[in-house]
Amino acid sequence: MDKKPAGATPKKMAGAATLTTAVVATDLPAGTSKDAISETFSEHGQVIKVLRILKNNETEAVVTFSTEEESKAAIAAGSITVDGKKVSVRAPKQKAVGEPSNVLVVGNLPVNVTPGPLKKLFAAFGTVTNVTVPRAKESKGKWISKGYGGVEFSTVFEATTALKALNGSVFNGRTISIRYLKK
């Protein structure tokens, strides 16, 4: 059974139990710090973590609260002012790709990616137990990424939260696609 934050209740999505204690803030001012985002959203509850994402040339943030009730309160506000600019607040997209699993496949990775930065990106959503980036030797003898990788979380809940937040985001200059590993 997946571990869930205290006081949280699961929502049903595509036939699988998932949970969202996160919200997405869009249209953030460029350069807004994680501290400023956290401070602003703390009026709705305890902020556990903030992840800034460049998505479609816009700055977004995924703000994770300690409970689903707190995230609902932030979403109910509809918008919030961060660094003097009104930004939209919404729930993460509910589209899941494939049958839920604790292992994600990340596509469209740059050829120079290594497991370290990939793990750092996904660790914002939970305990990452393993990261793999298959490599191949190019004609000049240099080892490069094959353009995809695997990220394993300790729970399906953590993997689902990461998939919802990061699918379609930009990582090292590339728009990544994420799906669950087929069993």
Side-chain angles (χ1 to χ4, degrees):
M1 184 104 181
D2 291 345
K3 296 177 186 173
K4 295 179 176 77
T9 55
K11 292 200 286 187
K12 294 289 181 183
M13 177 195 76
T18 61
L19 170 71
T20 263
T21 58
V23 300
V24 177
T26 59
D27 302 321
L28 285 164
T32 303
S33 71
K34 287 182 181 182
D35 290 339
I37 296 167
S38 181
E39 183 178 325
T40 302
F41 278 87
S42 66
E43 71 183 62
H44 297 291
Q46 181 183 1
V47 174
I48 302 299
K49 55 184 123 171
V50 174
L51 177 67
R52 287 174 16 111
I53 302 170
L54 177 64
K55 191 171 188 174
N56 300 327
N57 294 323
E58 294 180 1
T59 302
E60 295 186 352
V62 177
V63 180
T64 305
F65 289 94
S66 63
T67 68
E68 186 174 12
E69 291 75 23
E70 293 168 344
S71 69
K72 285 181 179 179
I75 293 166
S79 66
I80 195 164
T81 303
V82 179
D83 281 350
K85 182 179 179 192
K86 192 173 185 178
V87 300
S88 299
V89 180
R90 64 171 172 77
K93 293 180 181 171
Q94 295 297 309
K95 183 180 176 185
V97 182
E99 186 67 30
S101 164
N102 68 317
V103 182
L104 301 176
V105 177
V106 184
N108 200 33
L109 292 173
V111 295
N112 64 345
V113 75
T114 59
L118 196 57
K119 181 175 184 175
K120 183 177 179 182
L121 176 67
F122 282 86
F125 298 95
T127 304
V128 175
T129 58
N130 190 28
V131 176
T132 57
V133 178
R135 298 170 73 73
K137 204 172 198 178
E138 69 172 351
S139 61
K140 296 178 183 177
K142 182 179 176 185
W143 287 91
I144 60 171
S145 161
K146 289 185 173 183
Y148 67 93
V151 179
E152 183 177 358
F153 283 90
S154 62
T155 68
V156 172
F157 163 73
E158 293 168 339
T160 298
T161 303
L163 183 146
K164 288 181 191 178
L166 296 175
N167 193 18
S169 65
V170 175
F171 173 68
N172 286 358
R174 305 280 302 259
T175 301
I176 58 174
S177 63
I178 305 171
R179 65 174 175 80
Y180 294 110
L181 179 68
K182 293 178 184 175
K183 295 181 180 182

